[in-house]
Amino acid sequence: MSNKDQFASRWGFLAAAIGMAVGTGNIWRFPRMAAQYGGGAFILAYTLALFLWSAPLLMAEMSIGRKTRRGPIGGFRDFVGRRHTWMGAWMVMVCMLITFYYSVVTGWCIKYFVLAMRGAFREGVDTAALWTSFLADPRQTIFFHFLAIGACGLIIYRGIKGGVERVTKLMVPALFVFLIVAALRAATLAGAGQGLTYMFVPDWSKLALPATWLQAFTQSAWSTGAGWGLMLTYAVYTSRKEDISQNCFTIGFGDQTAALLAGLAIIPTIFALSPSVEAANAAISTNNTGLTFISLARLFPKMPGGLYIAPVFFLAMVFAAFTSLIAQVEVGVRAFIDGGWSRKKSTLMVAGATFLLGLPSAIVPGVFDNQDWVWGVALLPSGFFVMMAARKFGAEKIRTELINPSADIRIGRWWNFVITYVSPLIFLFLLGWWFYRGIVDNPETWWKPFSRFTTGTIIFQWAILLVVLLLANRALARWTKGTPEEVD
Amino acid sequence: MLKTYIWIAIILAINWGGFIAFLVRASRRQAGRAKGPKNSN
């Protein structure tokens, strides 16, 4: 492995990994979830999820990547055995299927940053019409999708040190500064107090609802990138002396810090500037895009200094989305590099495929919704496969031979228990609850495989992917070439 | 509002405090490495 394909410093790795974790979900989903599911009670459940799901999984992923020096496909083959290569391939495929439409999302953020720079969010502008007319214009959605994946491809093409590390070291600190600016502006608005109360004071009764725990754990899983294969891939480019436990907790807490900053920026703004509490609640109860591109865009003109805050907010969205997109594309690129391809050829292949296969989501909003519905949940089985890999390799062996020798903070036996028993039980609960709700809430239609938001479409599309990967397992095991490389 | 501020302080102390503490530890270790022999990495 050339020096270009290694992180030059721990800061470089941390910036890339925090950028990987902090995405649009921190900004447009976490504040909504916190406000809807009990404020401080949700945040405490979300913090618990870091210890019981996200951080243990990130540590397991980083151990696989650092030991095998391969992406998820080769990593699972070498770490668990040839018969389990399909599990790593599942992680790569799910990550790529998300990347296809996430590039489209990144394009939306770029578009709204451009609109904010032009001062488009003026008093009286119909932001709902602005959003729907943008989505209905394929030339625009395709152009911004192309811009997002094109820029991402150029960065990855330049390698880890010269591309990914250099860019994320600038973008991630800038993202935090932008969120702090937006949070300070929001928290000092007249009437922000009600939003702060809504966001932070715990409503303990919400902890009795399974939905609160489901949302807290899935938010943590999606947000930190645990189980995506992203951490596993970035770990390939780290030194063997890199501290797994400390890095994983830094990334987890960094992700939560960004989410709380976003909450501080968004919820007080909505409560301070909405005409009524009902209107504020309606804005929070809408979906991710509705909150960001319609409700918030409508409120910026009412905010003193809103003309300047809007570009800052949407640039934060761009940076959050873009640094996550880089990590996702790298997962695909690494799979090809492991297959013996050059980085340049692999990048062209993955970026080109992302552009082409993202087109249906860019053109038809229904396809986007369906793909987000199906593959977002597929990250739960991805995480489960990492737990299975840890169990098969031996949790104690990972802890004593891979995590602790280079650890500043040594991990105790609790980690073995969590990764072997607690996290798998949480997985069963989360997935079981997700399917149960899907069936109970839609008793007549849940089974339909070609509907946008049914349990049937999830099962149908997962089954196709699973069958293909199981049939291709031998070929996938042969795909990874060469011997493991050392980076020390 | 006092109750709100207390809860803000508790939640931010856990999350932001955790992040800052880990960042400080990471920077100390990075500084330690930088002081070490050049071929140690």
Side-chain angles (χ1 to χ4, degrees):
Chain A
M1 193 180 292
S2 71
N3 274 343
K4 257 169 76 175
D5 269 351
Q6 292 174 42
F7 287 105
S9 67
R10 172 178 270 200
W11 289 122
F13 168 67
L14 271 177
I18 291 172
M20 165 274 280
V22 179
T24 49
N26 293 65
I27 299 174
W28 68 18
R29 190 169 186 274
F30 171 81
R32 282 196 312 113
M33 292 297 114
Q36 281 180 55
Y37 289 98
F42 177 88
I43 296 171
L44 292 176
Y46 175 67
T47 306
L48 191 67
L50 175 66
F51 288 89
L52 296 183
W53 180 277
S54 304
L57 264 183
L58 288 173
M59 282 189 248
E61 272 197 50
M62 199 170 166
S63 302
I64 298 172
R66 209 188 61 174
K67 176 164 176 63
T68 62
R69 299 287 161 194
R70 301 191 185 289
I73 299 177
F76 266 73
R77 186 197 68 175
D78 294 351
F79 199 78
V80 202
R82 299 178 78 84
R83 283 194 307 140
H84 301 86
T85 312
W86 65 272
M87 290 181 175
W90 168 279
M91 290 178 82
V92 172
M93 283 307 299
V94 168
C95 182
M96 291 320 297
L97 285 158
I98 290 171
T99 306
F100 299 152
Y101 66 80
Y102 199 75
S103 171
V104 176
V105 171
T106 311
W108 295 347
C109 298
I110 299 172
K111 164 74 182 178
Y112 266 66
F113 169 63
V114 172
L115 283 175
M117 285 296 286
R118 285 185 180 167
F121 306 122
R122 293 182 304 274
E123 192 71 55
V125 168
D126 184 348
T127 53
L130 190 70
W131 173 239
T132 46
S133 66
F134 167 58
L135 281 192
D137 184 355
R139 285 169 309 174
Q140 286 209 57
T141 52
I142 292 172
F143 172 73
F144 284 101
H145 164 49
F146 176 76
L147 209 61
I149 190 61
C152 179
L154 276 177
I155 289 161
I156 291 180
Y157 191 85
R158 294 176 65 86
I160 294 295
K161 190 177 164 185
V164 176
E165 183 172 351
R166 186 178 286 182
V167 169
T168 51
K169 267 170 97 171
L170 285 175
M171 280 190 177
V172 170
L175 164 64
F176 276 87
V177 170
F178 295 157
L179 287 176
I180 289 168
V181 170
L184 284 175
R185 174 62 281 194
T188 50
L189 286 170
Q194 196 173 6
L196 290 172
T197 302
Y198 215 81
M199 173 90 192
F200 285 98
V201 175
D203 175 357
W204 298 114
S205 67
K206 290 279 200 260
L207 289 182
L209 303 174
T212 303
W213 293 95
L214 177 80
Q215 298 296 358
F217 274 77
T218 49
Q219 177 66 29
S220 181
W222 290 327
S223 186
T224 55
W228 287 61
L230 306 169
M231 189 57 153
L232 193 160
T233 304
Y234 271 171
V236 173
Y237 308 109
T238 59
S239 155
R240 284 200 190 279
K241 290 171 190 138
E242 201 56 74
D243 188 332
I244 291 176
S245 56
Q246 192 178 73
N247 279 319
C248 291
F249 276 109
T250 310
I251 292 157
F253 277 113
D255 178 68
Q256 298 210 352
T257 296
L260 285 168
L261 277 171
L264 277 170
I266 290 171
I267 303 299
T269 301
I270 286 175
F271 276 87
L273 302 179
S274 291
S276 64
V277 176
E278 289 73 28
N281 278 318
I284 289 167
S285 306
T286 179
N287 57 19
N288 296 333
T289 50
L291 172 77
T292 312
F293 298 127
I294 299 173
S295 301
L296 275 173
R298 188 183 295 137
L299 296 178
F300 281 124
K302 300 182 198 297
M303 176 191 279
L307 201 65
Y308 303 102
I309 291 295
V312 168
F313 175 78
F314 284 111
L315 192 56
M317 289 285 292
V318 172
F319 283 6
F322 196 71
T323 49
S324 298
L325 183 67
I326 288 172
Q328 291 168 22
V329 173
E330 181 59 34
V331 171
V333 168
R334 186 67 223 180
F336 282 97
I337 293 174
D338 286 343
W341 291 36
S342 70
R343 168 166 290 275
K344 290 182 175 176
K345 203 171 143 194
S346 306
T347 307
L348 283 173
M349 178 68 179
V350 175
T354 301
F355 174 67
L356 289 175
L357 296 171
L359 285 177
S361 292
I363 297 167
V364 186
V367 172
F368 173 89
D369 291 340
N370 175 263
Q371 291 299 285
D372 191 23
W373 169 252
V374 171
W375 300 114
V377 191
L379 291 168
L380 293 176
S382 289
F384 181 68
F385 294 153
V386 175
M387 293 166 210
M388 290 299 99
R391 193 187 177 114
K392 193 141 197 329
F393 187 85
E396 177 67 5
K397 210 170 148 192
I398 294 175
R399 188 179 73 88
T400 54
E401 293 178 16
L402 301 177
I403 298 176
N404 278 348
S406 59
D408 199 14
I409 301 164
R410 295 172 82 80
I411 295 299
R413 285 178 193 277
W414 66 268
W415 185 84
N416 301 1
F417 184 71
V418 168
I419 201 80
T420 312
Y421 301 108
V422 180
S423 302
L425 278 175
I426 292 169
F427 160 77
L428 288 175
F429 165 72
L430 293 179
L431 199 66
W433 183 257
W434 192 274
F435 281 154
Y436 169 76
R437 291 296 342 161
I439 293 167
V440 168
D441 292 346
N442 310 284
E444 305 293 323
T445 55
W446 72 266
W447 56 273
K448 291 188 174 179
F450 301 110
S451 292
R452 197 184 298 188
F453 295 122
T454 56
T455 305
T457 192
I458 293 180
I459 295 169
F460 179 63
Q461 294 185 56
W462 285 14
I464 291 174
L465 180 62
L466 193 63
V467 169
V468 169
L469 294 180
L470 284 170
L471 289 174
N473 189 61
R474 280 190 179 183
L476 288 165
R478 282 196 301 270
W479 169 258
T480 301
K481 304 279 190 299
T483 53
E485 296 160 280
E486 296 290 325
V487 182
D488 282 310
Chain B
M1 270 314 276
L2 180 65
K3 193 178 168 189
T4 301
Y5 290 130
I6 289 170
W7 276 108
I8 291 174
I10 291 170
I11 288 167
L12 297 190
I14 295 170
N15 286 281
W16 296 6
F19 183 45
I20 291 163
F22 277 108
L23 273 183
V24 169
R25 281 189 86 111
S27 74
R28 279 187 188 159
R29 190 157 168 161
Q30 178 82 10
R33 263 193 203 178
K35 280 181 191 167
K38 268 189 176 176
N39 61 356
S40 68
N41 196 19

